[in-house]
Amino acid sequence: MIGTGYVGLVSGACFSDFGHDVICVDKDAEKIAALERGVMPIYEPGLDRLVASNVRGGRLSFTTDTATAVAGADAVFIAVGTPSRRGDGHADLSYVFAAAEEIAASLTGSTVVVTKSTVPVGTGDEVERIIRETSPDAEAWVVSNPEFLREGAAIEDFKRPDRIVIGADDERGRAIMREVYRPLYLNKAPLLFTSRRSAELIKYAANAFLATKITFINEMADLCEKVGGDVQDVAQGIGLDNRIGGKFLHAGPGYGGSCFPKDTLALLKTAEDYESPLRIVEAVASVNDQRKRAMGRRVIQALGGDARGKTVALLGLTFKPNTDDMRDAPSIAIVQALEDAGAVVRAFDPEGVEQAKPLMKSVTFCATPYDAANGADAAVLVTEWDVLRALDLRRLAAKMAQPILVDLRNVYSPQDAAAAGFQYSGIGRA
Ligand code: NAD
């Protein structure tokens, strides 16, 4: 497993749990050293136990040395990052191509090289070219196997996926992948074989579709506020229709995270390159981008239109609960909008503080939500962590200079918040 981040570490740990022998490789020596001490470099529920038991069982190990990991492997997965390229939003494939070169130089025997990273359509062709050029005699087949796990529920998602997509243009590649995933196949996870290009596109199409669903309900929420509707009723009313489905219909501050923002942008770049516009996705990306900062303005409005010198408490910072991942979290744009308007920001998050610190340097981080609210003029619920779902609202209000609660996840009922003395506003509820 080349790349031991959210995807590589979870995939490696799960494959080893199925009985495969797995070596996880990372360039980041600190990450590997921590893993060797049993310290997880990321927060993901259940991961520490899964890693520890497979390390004990002798099936899972860690190294910084690609060559030893690749030599003798039946399958090598590329699970390195594919962030947005600075300046233009294309997927930055430099890590994937560098990994491909290193793998190619270390191949022995017959190996399937699997791209698990999210990569634009056609990347498999380039990986194949790099391997053929670097190592013309190697017997290698390049396969696409996009990953659909969600941070926060990654192990369960990996072990019980809705589907496994394998894009392979060669029967030998398909055969090895069938063996690799056989334990899951026995769990009745559907194995979908496609061409390599289709598999690459499936990942982006899935993320763009989910981003569209979120953005759709967010705009409906705005309309609800104007016309006097309740977006939660509307979401339920449409979601009970099986053709629509109830998931991803929770109105909120806009999608963030390490995948949707960068993947929608990268898909748009592919569409541009092939002169095949994706206007719906264009609208989704732009609406969502504006929405995150608009959430900051919503808080300023709740403060009476002027935030200068006011203190705001943010409750939850990560882009969703049960992860420490801060990449493209809506909280970043909200903090910026508030600070631009002259507010002072205090914040609480159960797991995200270490990753948040470099992204929001002027914020004061607090150990509890009540500490964050201490002396604040407004509290903003940004991420619906379990520990933030049952706050003692009276205690929270009593801590604050002004009892204003902006609930960007509709966790609290407007009646309960009002009963606790709050001036309350949610999302999409008139
Ligand atoms: P990450 O940044 O957490 O991890 C990537 C790791 O790869 C880093 O630890 C980095 O040091 C390492 N690395 C980079 N180049 C390397 C090399 N040449 N050799 C060895 N290690 C190297 O990234 P992530 O969140 O795990 O995402 C990985 C890929 O999976 C991305 O393409 C992402 O879009 C995709 N993906 C992510 C998720 C998610 O929820 N995070 C879900 C599905 C797909």
Side-chain angles (χ1 to χ4, degrees):
M1 189 67 61
I2 312 299
T4 307
Y6 287 88
V7 167
L9 182 54
V10 170
S11 306
C14 288
F15 277 140
S16 64
D17 209 42
F18 289 138
H20 294 311
D21 288 323
V22 180
I23 307 178
C24 281
V25 185
D26 207 286
K27 286 274 161 231
D28 183 339
E30 267 178 43
K31 213 174 245 193
I32 294 300
L35 282 161
E36 282 178 332
R37 291 195 309 274
V39 176
M40 296 302 106
I42 55 168
Y43 173 75
E44 180 62 45
L47 188 60
D48 46 359
R49 283 192 304 279
L50 191 72
V51 167
S53 78
N54 286 289
V55 168
R56 261 199 317 277
R59 293 178 297 272
L60 179 62
S61 60
F62 303 99
T63 180
T64 52
D65 180 22
T66 305
T68 30
V70 168
D74 298 302
V76 179
F77 285 81
I78 301 177
V80 301
T82 48
S84 278
R85 192 161 71 187
R86 270 191 192 284
D88 69 358
H90 260 289
D92 177 352
L93 294 173
S94 56
Y95 302 100
V96 172
F97 294 153
E101 275 177 35
E102 290 157 22
I103 293 165
S106 316
L107 286 171
T108 60
S110 321
T111 316
V112 54
V113 177
V114 190
T115 312
K116 196 166 244 328
S117 299
T118 302
V119 294
V121 65
T123 303
D125 302 354
E126 187 59 18
V127 169
E128 187 165 338
R129 192 192 61 74
I130 291 172
I131 290 174
R132 302 266 171 260
E133 226 173 77
T134 315
S135 220
D137 300 328
E139 199 182 13
W141 307 284
V142 177
V143 166
S144 162
N145 169 221
E147 182 50 56
F148 300 99
L149 62 77
R150 294 163 302 168
E151 288 174 15
I155 294 167
E156 180 61 21
D157 283 353
F158 194 92
K159 290 195 164 182
R160 266 170 272 282
D162 290 341
R163 79 302 203 189
I164 298 154
V165 173
I166 294 170
D169 296 329
D170 181 284
E171 183 44 46
R172 285 160 303 180
R174 270 194 286 273
I176 297 178
M177 292 305 282
R178 219 177 262 121
E179 271 306 294
V180 168
Y181 277 108
R182 201 169 47 83
L184 280 170
Y185 191 58
L186 299 175
N187 274 358
K188 303 250 180 313
L191 217 52
L192 177 68
F193 287 99
T194 69
S195 72
R196 200 161 64 195
R197 286 186 165 239
S198 297
E200 288 169 337
L201 202 50
I202 284 168
K203 174 66 193 175
Y204 282 102
N207 275 359
F209 195 87
L210 294 171
T212 303
K213 223 175 156 186
I214 295 173
T215 306
F216 178 85
I217 203 66
N218 282 343
E219 286 201 310
M220 281 298 150
D222 291 347
L223 185 59
C224 282
E225 288 171 16
K226 299 270 163 60
V227 300
D230 183 328
V231 72
Q232 284 176 284
D233 291 342
V234 173
Q236 199 182 9
I238 63 174
L240 285 169
D241 184 328
N242 283 330
R243 293 169 302 177
I244 297 174
K247 292 189 176 156
F248 274 72
L249 286 179
H250 301 287
Y255 61 77
S258 62
C259 292
F260 290 176
K262 80 166 172 70
D263 291 349
T264 43
L265 271 190
L267 179 61
L268 288 174
K269 285 292 160 189
T270 300
E272 226 175 271
D273 287 350
Y274 286 85
E275 293 182 18
S276 180
L278 293 173
R279 296 215 177 82
I280 295 173
V281 185
E282 271 169 33
V284 165
S286 131
V287 166
N288 191 69
D289 215 34
Q290 289 162 32
R291 183 172 186 83
K292 293 195 240 181
R293 201 170 157 89
M295 294 299 114
R297 290 200 296 278
R298 192 177 272 255
V299 178
I300 297 166
Q301 249 170 29
L303 283 165
D306 184 9
R308 191 150 303 279
K310 304 266 173 66
T311 300
V312 178
L314 293 198
L315 307 181
L317 295 171
T318 50
F319 80 100
K320 66 174 176 182
N322 296 326
T323 180
D324 57 348
D325 200 342
M326 281 296 298
R327 289 178 280 187
D328 266 318
S331 61
I332 300 169
I334 297 172
V335 167
Q336 257 159 18
L338 290 171
E339 291 186 342
D340 288 349
V344 172
V345 180
R346 298 164 65 80
F348 163 80
D349 191 278
E351 297 290 342
V353 170
E354 281 318 304
Q355 298 208 19
K357 273 181 184 163
L359 300 169
M360 24 186 90
K361 295 208 167 70
S362 323
V363 169
T364 305
F365 296 95
C366 306
T368 74
Y370 302 101
D371 288 347
N374 202 8
D377 298 285
V380 188
L381 204 150
V382 184
T383 313
E384 69 281 30
W385 282 92
D386 279 348
V387 291
L388 297 173
R389 284 174 180 271
L391 292 173
D392 178 342
L393 291 182
R394 282 179 199 283
R395 184 176 157 206
L396 195 73
K399 289 267 180 193
M400 297 174 61
Q402 286 191 82
I404 295 174
L405 179 59
V406 182
D407 180 359
L408 300 180
R409 300 288 183 176
N410 288 345
V411 165
Y412 291 98
S413 94
Q415 293 75 19
D416 290 352
F422 273 111
Q423 176 194 318
Y424 173 90
S425 58
I427 293 280
R429 299 193 289 195

